[in-house]
Amino acid sequence: MDVTYAEVGATREGPLPAGYLHVTRRARLTAGFAEAADALAHWRPQRGAGLRVRTDAERAGLGVEFASGIGAGPLRLWVPCKIVWIEDRPGRFGFGFGTLPGHVATGEEAFLLSTDAEGAVWFEVRAFSRPAKWWTKLGAPVARLMQARVTDGYVAAMRGL
């Protein structure tokens, strides 16, 4: 299935595309790189932020489709995504995923781990998005607050390793 936006890979490097809400967050972790990379590959940021994850893949990989769910019981909202890029090399690990048809937004979000010259491990979230449904356009201020809360949850989950 194809993603719902043209700027595939824009969260990997460089400036985020115009015309979208941008989110960037960077935090130093206390966990080692290998532990953090394993947690990231096994959906720890999403689950730690209170989201449910549906996927047939045990770990993140290029082309893997998954859905994140927020809410409770029958009120849970599932949003489909696809991993569109992955980076896995010494001192850098992460991936970017894009929205699929049926998602309430359109855009891309990325999680990236890196180490600096002193060996510190950093976790970065980069995203660009805009509402895709009439009701998310109407509720854009609430959607932005929810996105900020979920992003804080991603960071807290990785810091809690």
Side-chain angles (χ1 to χ4, degrees):
M1 191 174 293
D2 288 333
V3 294
T4 58
Y5 61 100
E7 303 87 346
V8 175
T11 56
R12 193 171 196 159
E13 291 183 37
L16 297 175
Y20 294 88
L21 172 69
H22 297 167
V23 173
T24 56
R25 193 82 49 83
R26 188 170 190 256
R28 187 176 177 165
L29 305 182
T30 57
F33 183 81
E35 179 186 3
D38 185 65
L40 183 57
H42 289 93
W43 318 106
R44 179 76 174 263
Q46 290 90 341
R47 292 187 173 117
L51 303 176
R52 298 279 177 102
V53 177
R54 282 187 191 164
T55 183
D56 291 337
E58 182 181 315
R59 62 181 281 126
L62 188 61
V64 167
E65 293 186 15
F66 67 98
S68 296
I70 190 166
L75 300 178
R76 188 173 316 277
L77 177 65
W78 291 97
V79 293
C81 301
K82 180 179 183 176
I83 297 178
V84 296
W85 64 263
I86 194 156
E87 186 163 342
D88 188 0
R89 58 188 169 99
R92 284 181 74 83
F93 177 78
F95 55 89
F97 55 92
T99 56
L100 292 173
H103 200 294
V104 299
T106 185
E108 190 173 290
E109 187 165 42
F111 300 138
L112 185 64
L113 293 168
S114 61
T115 55
D116 64 19
E118 289 78 42
V121 179
W122 293 88
F123 174 60
E124 184 175 5
V125 178
R126 293 174 46 88
F128 62 90
S129 65
R130 60 181 169 220
K133 308 284 186 193
W134 69 267
W135 47 273
T136 53
K137 290 176 185 173
L138 189 63
V142 172
R144 282 193 292 274
L145 287 173
M146 287 183 64
Q147 185 175 25
R149 185 174 146 237
V150 169
T151 301
D152 290 344
Y154 295 153
V155 172
M158 293 302 285
R159 278 190 165 158
L161 296 177

